[in-house]
RNA sequence: GGUCCGGUAGUGUAGCGGUUAGCAUAUCUGCCUGUCACGCAGAAGGUCGCGGGUUCAAAUCCCGUCCGGACCGCCA
């Protein structure tokens, strides 16, 4: 028999004979009468098998996760036994067939969310049978389709770029692929299609996009995988405003068509410095406010040495905290680079606990500036600016999780962080390095700062898209002027010969007639993660890798044959 | 490389110096004609991650190690 419909579409077949195929989700055997919940990707419906029916013997041997086919009349359930949605109906089976038997599942699928993640990953094909998992991947597919439709309508050209390319020394570690035809030489998997998309602009394609797989051999996190997907795009003859505007329209289109959510127009914007100074992160979670308060001046020259000598003292107002909670927050602050976490508890018009003996004269001003509530806690980090605000930013997020601070706010908060620094000083290597990438264009009015001691203040025409505290996109206007590119390489300490050795083909291309251009890359997996409310990127990737970069199902990575290595001219050390 | 949390039947958990290692669920058997987390009765199922140590005695305490997760470093 041929399947008549997806289970979710059965309503239109009421009182007709239909054939359904799917998996046995549950079997309730009442002795004579058997009920089977049959599931396909679209839904689950109850099948009733009467003892006298021709379907009985076959249904009697069905177990969880057997693949089964039932033919029968679709009817309404007896009154009083109807439930919501598909629970109104049941299929009275006249024929049943086991299409495929199944071993007993290693975990109960309907309890999947409580099962240890490594078990789920090992049996991912079973985990993916769970409706929650299908829904997330379905959402992902819908977002992808909405993106494609929008960009296609806007005249973007979808171009694929190579997976086997050249290793570049900077940035993340490359995944290397040995070349059999060129023994001793290696391809690298792309960290992103950055150079290729710029070359497409040089080639005159004007507008490009691609859902691109990217590879970075770095340590993993809940929101990082070694292979991941970017929505990569690039536009010619544009400035930063053009790129931001198009991306806002695209994002609004996606949220509207897929989630029926209206995002604000325009998105809010804050500068990199402002984001760090107020929220302690270049990707602040703005679903709640909890901004820092500058209090350096109140302690300058005071008797509390840790504060009076610090370049920056920032305060963060919190609710009432126990000593234990404060200790935990201090641990967070220290792990994120702070020397410590000072605190005060407000009692009336003054403070107790923590560093209260140092604040007598400024208590009123502290209360006025921070607005800390009675019994509320003030938390302080002092020291060098970036270290302090970053540490307090981590405390801010810990408070968010502790007090569920996002509960009253919007479900989604999206913003641009702009004016990133062009250059960053790398203490370890004692040299300047780029913050975004070496082809990012600086603000024209900051050009004069190249080569001066103030080059750390050069602003880049770079921007990040931040959704609920996650960086879901980032990009820049690129350098299309050879002189500026030379300045940039010089600032990075590249000699002309070194630049040529690394990027010669690209520099030649730049000199061949390059339009002003810029673009962005979205962290597609992260976007889907936030849109679906998942807490890990692994939840929105069909076959993800674990913390250690292992695919527990396919058991990759794995050793290979000596003969395979020999053919590639490779020896392993151990 | 580091910090923290965890590892006990298939799964989820309790036990935290002396238990026949408990409970739930899944599995198997029997009974059961309106269940829907079906119910009832019974059975089987455990190298308490692994190694070492302390102890008369270790799932329990200590050390090491492996595995899983979160984070720091790292990720242009």
């Amino acid at each position: 028999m041929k399947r008549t419909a997806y289970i979710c579409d059965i309503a239109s077949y009421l009182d007709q004979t239909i054939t359904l195929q799917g998996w046995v989700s549950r079997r309730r055997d009442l002795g004579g009468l058997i009920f089977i919940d049959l599931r396909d990707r679209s839904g689950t419906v109850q099948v009733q098998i009467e003892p006298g029916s021709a379907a009985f013997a076959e249904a009697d041997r069905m177990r969880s996760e057997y693949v089964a086919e039932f033919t029968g009349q679709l009817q309404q359930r007896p009154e009083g036994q109807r439930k919501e949605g598909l629970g109104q109906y049941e299929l009275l089976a006249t024929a049943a067939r086991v299409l495929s038997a199944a071993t007993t599942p290693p975990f109960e699928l309907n309890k999947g969310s409580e099962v240890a993640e490594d078990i789920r990953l090992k049996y991912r094909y079973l985990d993916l049978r769970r409706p929650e998992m299908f829904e997330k991947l379905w959402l992902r597919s819908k977002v992808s389709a909405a993106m494609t439709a929008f960009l296609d309508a806007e005249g973007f050209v979808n171009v694929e770029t190579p997976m086997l390319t050249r290793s570049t020394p900077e940035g993340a570690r490359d995944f290397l692929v040995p070349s059999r035809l060129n023994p001793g030489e290696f391809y690298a998997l792309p960290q992103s299609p950055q150079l290729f998309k710029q070359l497409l602009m040089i080639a005159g394609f004007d507008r490009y996009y691609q859902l691109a797989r990217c590879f970075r051999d770095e340590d993993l996190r809940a929101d990082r995988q070694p292979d991941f997907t970017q929505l990569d795009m690039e536009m010619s003859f544009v400035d930063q405003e053009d790129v931001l505007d198009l991306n806002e329209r695209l994002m609004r289109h996606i949220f509207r068509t897929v989630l029926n959510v209206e995002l604000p127009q325009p998105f809010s914007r804050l500068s990199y410095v402002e984001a760090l100074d107020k929220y302690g992160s270049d990707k602040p979670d703005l679903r709640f406010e909890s901004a820092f308060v500058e209090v350096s001046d109140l302690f300058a020259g005071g008797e509390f040495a840790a504060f009076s000598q610090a370049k920056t003292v920032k305060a963060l107002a919190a609710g009432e905290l126990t000593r234990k909670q404060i200790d935990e927050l201090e641990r967070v602050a220290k792990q994120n680079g702070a020397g410590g976490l000072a605190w005060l508890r407000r009692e009336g018009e003054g403070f107790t606990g923590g560093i209260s003996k140092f604040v007598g004269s400024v208590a009123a001003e502290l209360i006025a500036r921070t607005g800390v509530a009675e019994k509320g806690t003030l938390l302080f980090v002092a020291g060098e600016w970036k270290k302090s605000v970053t540490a307090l930013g981590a405390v801010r997020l810990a408070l968010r999780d502790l007090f569920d601070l996002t509960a009253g706010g919007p479900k989604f908060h999206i913003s641009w962080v702009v004016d990133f620094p062009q250059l960053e000083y790398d203490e370890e290597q004692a040299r300047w390095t780029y913050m975004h990438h070496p082809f990012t264009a600086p603000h024209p009015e900051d050009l004069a700062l190249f080569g001066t001691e103030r080059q750390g203040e050069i602003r880049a025409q770079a921007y990040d898209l931040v959704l609920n505290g996650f960086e879901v996109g980032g990009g820049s206007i690129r350098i299309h002027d050879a002189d500026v590119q030379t300045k940039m390489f010089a600032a990075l300490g590249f000699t002309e010969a070194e630049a040529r050795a690394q990027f010669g083909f690209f520099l030649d291309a730049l000199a061949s007639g390059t339009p002003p251009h810029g673009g962005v890359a979205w962290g597609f997996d992260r976007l889907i993660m936030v849109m679906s409310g998942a807490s890990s990127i692994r939840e929105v990737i069909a076959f993800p890798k674990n913390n250690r970069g292992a695919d527990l199902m396919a058991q990759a990575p794995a050793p290979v044959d000596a003969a395979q290595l020999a053919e590639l001219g490779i020896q392993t050390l151990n």
Side-chain angles (χ1 to χ4, degrees), chain A residues 61 88 165 282 319 340 358 378 405 464 556 564 567:
Chain A
R61 73 181 187 97
Q88 301 172 60
T165 181
D282 61 2
F358 299 110
L378 282 184
L405 293 179
D464 276 359
Q564 260 181 300
E567 195 170 36

Side-chain angles (χ1 to χ4, degrees), chain A residues 250-520:
Chain A
L250 172 56
M251 191 65 91
R252 263 186 243 108
H253 172 77
I254 287 168
F255 270 74
R256 186 180 304 125
T257 54
V258 179
L259 292 181
N260 198 27
V261 165
E262 283 300 320
L263 293 178
Q265 180 176 359
F267 296 173
S268 61
R269 284 190 202 184
L270 61 172
S271 73
Y272 169 85
V273 169
E274 189 184 358
L276 272 166
D277 200 54
K278 287 176 74 178
Y279 307 105
S281 171
D282 61 2
K283 46 179 164 65
D285 186 348
L286 297 176
R287 286 174 295 172
F288 65 107
E289 180 57 23
S290 291
F292 305 158
V293 177
E294 174 65 51
V295 294
S296 314
D297 57 307
L298 297 183
F299 294 95
E303 52 186 314
F304 187 34
F307 280 17
S308 64
Q309 290 162 18
K311 286 182 188 144
T312 299
V313 185
K314 292 282 182 188
L316 175 60
E320 188 171 357
L321 296 173
T322 64
R323 269 317 296 263
K324 201 177 163 190
Q325 288 170 326
I326 293 171
D327 288 348
E328 172 60 20
L329 292 171
E330 174 156 42
R331 198 186 63 76
V332 170
K334 283 181 169 168
Q335 202 191 2
N336 286 275
L341 184 70
W343 62 279
L344 294 169
R345 172 174 288 115
R346 180 174 171 191
E347 299 273 2
E349 296 314 302
F351 291 96
T352 62
I355 58 167
S356 55
K357 65 174 171 173
F358 299 110
V359 301
S361 58
V362 298
E365 182 62 19
L366 274 177
I367 291 170
R369 281 196 204 177
T370 62
V372 63
E374 174 68 11
K375 304 286 184 200
T377 313
L378 282 184
L379 300 166
F380 300 89
V381 173
E384 184 267 323
W385 176 74
K386 192 166 176 186
K387 267 205 166 99
S388 303
V389 294
T390 303
L392 199 56
V395 171
R396 180 176 176 269
L397 294 183
L399 285 168
R400 170 194 67 185
D401 298 336
L402 195 58
F403 292 108
D404 200 15
L405 293 179
T406 59
K411 189 170 176 197
F412 299 105
H413 187 288
I414 193 159
S415 54
W416 291 106
V417 175
V418 299
D419 294 342
F420 276 79
Q422 178 83 2
L423 297 164
E424 206 176 19
Y425 193 69
D426 183 337
E427 303 278 353
E428 232 169 73
Q429 301 187 44
R431 66 185 181 91
W432 289 92
T433 182
Y434 48 82
M435 190 139 183
H436 188 61
H437 62 60
F439 310 108
T440 298
H443 267 286
E445 59 261 46
D446 294 350
L447 273 176
L449 297 176
F450 268 110
T452 72
E453 75 273 14
R454 289 178 56 204
Q455 64 179 10
E457 297 170 33
I458 301 172
R459 291 164 299 159
Q461 297 187 62
Y463 31 82
D464 276 359
L465 193 52
V466 178
L467 177 62
N468 291 6
F470 291 93
E471 180 195 329
V472 296
S476 64
I477 298 299
R478 327 296 182 185
I479 298 170
H480 68 279
D481 179 306
D483 289 344
V484 177
Q485 189 65 64
T486 304
K487 280 186 174 148
M488 182 63 183
F489 279 134
L492 299 175
F494 276 47
T495 64
E496 203 175 325
E498 284 166 338
R500 282 220 69 80
Q502 292 306 327
F503 302 110
F505 72 101
F506 185 70
L507 296 176
D508 288 342
L510 270 181
S512 70
T514 299
H517 64 290
V520 72

Side-chain angles (χ1 to χ4, degrees), chain A residues 200-261:
Chain A
L200 289 169
M201 294 304 102
I202 294 169
F205 278 46
D206 200 84
R207 294 185 152 202
Y208 141 93
Y209 82 102
Q210 178 185 195
L211 271 166
R213 303 303 298 278
C214 305
F215 305 86
R216 294 178 190 174
D217 187 10
E218 295 294 342
D219 289 3
L220 281 64
R221 288 284 190 282
D223 65 346
R224 280 171 16 197
Q225 284 275 299
D227 48 347
F228 61 102
T229 304
Q230 286 186 343
L231 169 66
D232 194 44
M233 63 175 113
E234 196 77 4
M235 306 156 74
S236 291
F237 307 107
V238 293
D239 59 22
Q240 177 166 320
E241 285 306 318
D242 298 318
V243 178
L244 300 196
D245 175 68
L246 182 111
N247 276 270
E248 291 193 16
R249 288 192 290 118
L250 172 56
M251 191 65 91
R252 263 186 243 108
H253 172 77
I254 287 168
F255 270 74
R256 186 180 304 125
T257 54
V258 179
L259 292 181
N260 198 27
V261 165

